[in-house]
Amino acid sequence: MNMMSETQAAQPATDLPHAPADHPRVKMGKVGVLLANLGTPDHYSYWPMRRYLNEFLSDRRVIDYSPWIWQPLLQLVILTKRPFSSGANYKSIWNEERNESPLMTITKAQTALMAERMKARYGDDVVVDFCMRYGNPSTKSKVDALVAQGCTKILFFPLYPQYAGATSATACDQFFRSLENIKWQPIVRTVEPYYEDRRYIEALAQSVERAYAGLEHRPDVLVCSYHGVPKRYLMEGDPYHCQCQKTTRLLRERLGWDKTDIVTTFQSRFGPEEWLQPYTVEEVARLAEQGKKRIAVVAPAFSADCIETLEEINEEIKESFEHAGGEEFTYIPCLNDDAAHIDALAAVVEDNLRGWLG
């Protein structure tokens, strides 16, 4: 999705000060804001799914086993079967009208709204676009596009509230790799995780309050389900677990709730080793068995609804709760393109543009 306006596209290239007459003309003087999310397959059929999963599961930030061990297993076993099961999961949530995943639909909407906010604040000085770490549109294609549009400065914004090596770090890795062959590299900044930003917490709290206000019965517990990572990553210094716990605490304090009203869990476990606990799929079953018949689940680590929320939470985790005797399961959607969320993200961007723009 190219957020460049027709006016911007029609602008002539800028002459460099004091350049000779035969010097190539270049566009310059704009600031790019590049939003980044995890990624999505181009389709739920076998080969697009296989390409996407291969790129994702070959990332050493995601799976850090030795390639000599991991790649034969991935190529010969996992990628022969998993594209079928993952494809079926994607098909169940696919936006057939636009022929794209919900993550793509939502990210496009977020980008368009962010572009509106930036235009109102900075006029035509800022160009907003988005990229995906895996799949399309690639990070490199969007970096190249921003440079071609005259962006001599780029603010890179991974849309992960909490930092993890397997999310924020790999997105930044790919961004910096995208600069390697650019003759005249732009000046760049990256946005730090915003897990404790008061505006993000406020948007999150408002979404919970709206959801609760629409229910006939108040849930017994709010489950804050975060994407999991191997516990080993925490022991090796990854701050993700601590940042997730702080987001939950700040949300609870903003809501004015007791500690028993909210729990932190982790989902999407993959592979044989121990991951961060408690596991969401097991914890919701325990809650039901303990007499908590009504629960709500929110996913504070996801800036947009995706396969992990729409399929895993709303189907697998819900089924686990109900199978254990749970009666009322409420999934609270991600913040997506909610106005308070976009305002919070825009405020974070403006904070990070200080010194570049007035």
Side-chain angles (χ1 to χ4, degrees), residues 149-170:
Q149 293 172 60
C151 294
T152 52
K153 299 180 176 71
I154 297 177
L155 177 67
F156 184 67
F157 192 173
L159 293 177
Y160 306 109
Q162 300 80 20
Y163 173 95
T167 55
S168 306
T170 189

Side-chain angles (χ1 to χ4, degrees), residues 188-218:
V188 300
R189 291 177 179 172
T190 59
V191 177
E192 66 179 333
Y194 53 98
Y195 65 98
E196 59 182 349
D197 187 282
R198 58 178 177 78
R199 297 155 299 197
Y200 158 68
I201 297 297
E202 179 62 28
L204 198 58
Q206 288 180 19
S207 74
V208 173
E209 289 171 338
R210 283 196 304 271
Y212 273 46
L215 297 174
E216 183 177 354
H217 301 103
R218 176 186 170 89

Side-chain angles (χ1 to χ4, degrees), residues 87-163:
N89 292 339
Y90 269 98
K91 184 177 181 180
S92 71
I93 64 167
W94 200 254
N95 184 339
E96 295 289 355
E97 181 181 353
R98 297 190 179 186
N99 192 27
E100 61 190 20
S101 72
L103 177 63
M104 180 67 76
T105 302
I106 294 166
T107 305
K108 286 179 178 179
Q110 291 173 327
T111 305
L113 291 169
M114 180 67 76
E116 290 178 6
R117 301 291 198 283
M118 294 298 104
K119 186 172 181 62
R121 177 72 172 81
Y122 301 109
D124 293 331
D125 292 336
V126 174
V127 181
V128 181
D129 213 332
F130 78 93
C131 65
M132 299 294 185
R133 170 60 183 89
Y134 313 104
N136 296 305
S138 70
T139 305
K140 177 171 173 49
S141 70
K142 291 302 184 176
V143 168
D144 289 345
L146 289 174
V147 171
Q149 293 172 60
C151 294
T152 52
K153 299 180 176 71
I154 297 177
L155 177 67
F156 184 67
F157 192 173
L159 293 177
Y160 306 109
Q162 300 80 20
Y163 173 95

Side-chain angles (χ1 to χ4, degrees), residues 38 51-59 62-63 134 166 227:
L38 181 75
R51 286 193 297 271
Y52 174 74
L53 290 172
N54 182 49
E55 184 179 10
F56 175 47
L57 297 175
S58 293
D59 186 349
V62 176
I63 306 292
Y134 313 104
H227 196 291

Side-chain angles (χ1 to χ4, degrees), residues 199-215 222 251 254-255 257 296-300 302 330-336 338 340-341:
R199 297 155 299 197
Y200 158 68
I201 297 297
E202 179 62 28
L204 198 58
Q206 288 180 19
S207 74
V208 173
E209 289 171 338
R210 283 196 304 271
Y212 273 46
L215 297 174
L222 174 66
L251 174 61
R254 160 57 182 80
L255 291 169
W257 291 0
V297 179
V298 67
F302 299 90
T330 300
Y331 171 61
I332 301 175
C334 292
L335 295 177
N336 296 328
D338 176 75
H341 186 216

